[in-house]
Amino acid sequence: MSLISLVGAGKDFGLRTLFADLDLHVGERDRLGLIGPNGAGKSTLLKVLAGREPLDRGERRCSSRLNVVLLDQEPDLDPAQTVLEQVFAGSGERMALLREHGLLSHALAENADDQRLLARFSDLLHRMDACQAWDLERECHEVLERLGIGDVHRPVAELSGGNRRRVALAAALVAQPEVLLLDEPTNHLDADGVEWLQGWLDRYPGALVLVTHDRYLLDRVTRRIVAVERGEARRYEGNYATYLAHRAEEDESEVATAAKFRGDLRRELAWLRQGPKARSTKQKARLQRIEAMREQPARQARGAVSMAATARRIGKKAISVEDLAVHAGERPLLEAFSYDFSPEDRVGIIGPNGVGKSSLLEVIAGLRLPSGGRLELGSTVKLAYFDQHSSVLLGNSDRRGAGPLSERQLADRKLAERRLLDRKVIDVVQEAASRVEVDGQELSASQLLERFLFPPAQQHQPVAKLSGGERRRLHLCRLLIEAPNVLLLDEPTNDLDVHTLGVLEEFLEDFRGCVVVVSHDRWFLDRTVDRLFCFEQGRLQRFEGNYSAYLERRQALAAEASRRPAPGTPAAPRSATPDGAGQPDPVGQLASPAQAAVAQASPAQRPQALRRRSFKETRELERIDTELPLWESRRGELEARLGSGGGDYTRIEELTQELAELLERIARAEERWLLLSELAD
């Protein structure tokens, strides 16, 4: 049975059509995922389903008694209520029954023999049992705890933006409506919170409509996909993996159809230029067909973000930290962290919310001072920080060593935010560079914006008209035009659509530089990092591999611990590696005793076959196989030119320098090739 139906639905945003002639039905226990580019209308479609946004055409049909709850990206909470009161407020009938129970209990305490009150009380108890109202408070506390909200009596007015989102999510889950509409529910959740939410949604008995960039969640929870794009809404049966297969087939078909159409039109135009020999009915019909083909509008191609590596050269040294300490006031977040980030590092930083992941990136980016230790950037480093608040758009990207923002600086930042919303999209990018070279081709700021799916008409609109995802995409464009060689990415997947995330992942695969990522997105971490640092009690524990490997190891250890509980916890072995000196060895924390012994062995003794080669490492090995012969060929050319002599000493010096750098690059590549080739396929 259909709970909500959209019939012939259409919605416009200014001159742009978000969707037209849409028929969509949400049935009982439906699991529907909405995907599409940022600004395509996914959030608007959720609001239409919730009855908060009117349609321009068509109609919305549903029962007036249907209980529908929408988690918006900007939830409207009551600042006067506490966290617990706000979560209770969305519980509808169950909360009303609890309140009625309190009133009736008080009335019966004063008049225990009132038969009318006793009958009402008996009926109330039956209704409370039927909808499990007794469990409401316990559920509220459990959900809030799982989502990382500890102080349930804190006023909503004092909460940060991320905590407000989590409270709104808790209220939506506890309400248990017949139809639950979630817009990016994983934003501001850590990895454990996302895992818990995924399990909760698996067991949810009502209908679910989901907008999310978390592709593992989308693949696990949904059974039907609606792709909103180019003014259309296409339906696909199956989960996200099934949708990808259908999408690939459609793309191939559209390319073939477009090629056939161009071929037909070319042949007809050639016939037309030759001139018909007579004016028969058949020839007149052919002329009419040619005219119709020429006037037929070409189907708009699917938008695809295009990111190309524009990183400048980076030397041997990227980032070096020694005994680094980071505090939040008097509270220590990180102690004694030492590590040398290499120019080709792909590092992920994970841990619960509030442990200091973003604070560490801010210290590396120079936006706050460390509490102790040493941090040094390489002389050739050009650093770009993709933070959660788009500070690069506000002119705060170059504040090295400035420390935390003062009250005056916070006020200036708010003023800058208001001014930013009034600026044109193209002005934001031109401020960094009016032209940029990408893959040997010089592009203007306008051409670069088109690669990031900002058409010319949108480039001259104010930033205020962009959606949250479009602003994040603009932030990325502004960063990459400066050609950095070290990228710090703080929750880069927030508000970006799944198509843009896929392109960003491919960009990072080809990026020649160091990448440090803070993210809860499991798919993104699996695709982009080879090493993890996990916050554990103020220290960063190192793990070699991606997030899925880390999760499998953690689950295996938990299962082993449950089978054989140890009487005491032994001290973690100390790391013998230079970049982990003085820290508990993470492999000792995450591996069996035999694997821990392997980890403490020398590199020559350590069997690399214990770990399988990751997807990223396989791509890297293939790239080295391709590039090494080219570098060897260039080496031969340089040696031959130097051996031939000549009197141009300036040119000889340039060739000598190039040869030295090339020999160093070849040596590093050969060493890396040997290491990767020894790993298991």
Side-chain angles (χ1 to χ4, degrees), residues 353-622:
N353 287 319
V355 295
K357 304 184 297 296
S358 296
S359 298
L360 174 58
L361 285 195
E362 288 178 355
V363 168
I364 297 175
L367 300 182
R368 64 187 294 169
L369 294 171
S371 304
R374 178 186 63 84
L375 185 146
E376 187 177 350
L377 300 183
S379 59
T380 60
V381 164
K382 173 63 176 177
L383 187 145
Y385 178 33
F386 187 60
D387 69 335
Q388 296 187 52
H389 310 291
S390 300
S391 61
V392 70
L393 299 181
L394 304 176
N396 297 324
S397 58
D398 191 17
R399 297 179 58 253
R400 292 206 58 81
L405 295 173
S406 65
E407 289 186 9
R408 175 61 184 273
Q409 288 171 324
L410 285 171
D412 290 342
R413 182 190 181 94
K414 290 181 180 178
L415 178 61
E417 288 175 350
R418 289 195 296 270
R419 289 176 176 170
L420 168 68
L421 296 178
D422 294 330
R423 298 174 64 191
K424 294 179 180 178
V425 171
I426 194 168
D427 292 341
V428 172
V429 175
Q430 284 182 331
E431 185 179 65
S434 59
R435 306 191 74 81
V436 63
E437 185 173 321
V438 178
D439 291 342
Q441 178 184 4
E442 191 176 72
L443 300 177
S444 66
S446 178
Q447 290 171 321
L448 186 68
L449 279 168
E450 287 192 56
R451 288 195 172 202
F452 279 77
L453 296 189
F454 292 104
Q458 194 177 25
Q459 294 173 17
H460 294 276
Q461 291 181 350
V463 174
K465 290 194 173 183
L466 300 182
S467 68
E470 287 172 326
R471 293 182 193 181
R472 293 284 280 173
R473 207 184 323 130
L474 177 62
H475 185 181
L476 258 181
C477 181
R478 164 67 190 261
L479 277 178
L480 298 182
I481 200 173
E482 297 178 353
N485 49 28
V486 173
L487 285 175
L488 307 181
L489 307 176
D490 191 0
E491 298 293 0
T493 65
N494 282 358
D495 296 321
L496 290 181
D497 61 76
V498 293
H499 305 309
T500 302
L501 287 177
V503 177
L504 177 59
E505 288 160 358
E506 293 176 3
F507 167 83
L508 292 178
E509 286 180 9
D510 298 327
F511 179 74
R512 302 299 180 86
C514 177
V515 179
V516 184
V517 179
V518 168
S519 180
H520 64 263
D521 190 309
R522 301 157 294 174
W523 189 302
F524 189 81
L525 287 172
D526 281 348
R527 285 288 307 271
T528 57
V529 306
D530 302 318
R531 178 176 299 124
L532 292 172
F533 282 102
C534 181
F535 268 89
E536 293 182 6
Q537 299 179 342
R539 291 187 179 272
L540 282 176
Q541 308 295 352
R542 179 172 166 179
F543 178 82
E544 295 296 325
N546 60 17
Y547 183 78
S548 287
Y550 167 80
L551 191 61
E552 288 174 6
R553 178 70 55 82
R554 193 175 67 168
Q555 291 170 343
L557 289 175
E560 183 179 346
S562 65
R563 289 193 302 269
R564 294 184 302 171
T569 304
R574 312 303 288 183
S575 172
T577 59
D579 50 46
Q583 300 185 44
D585 189 306
V587 181
Q589 298 268 349
L590 294 169
S592 65
Q595 291 168 326
V598 168
Q600 295 180 51
S602 67
Q605 298 169 324
R606 193 175 301 164
Q608 296 291 341
L610 281 176
R611 184 169 71 84
R612 298 179 66 85
R613 192 161 54 235
S614 69
F615 171 82
K616 173 66 178 173
E617 288 169 331
T618 301
R619 291 287 301 270
E620 182 184 357
L621 185 61
E622 294 171 353

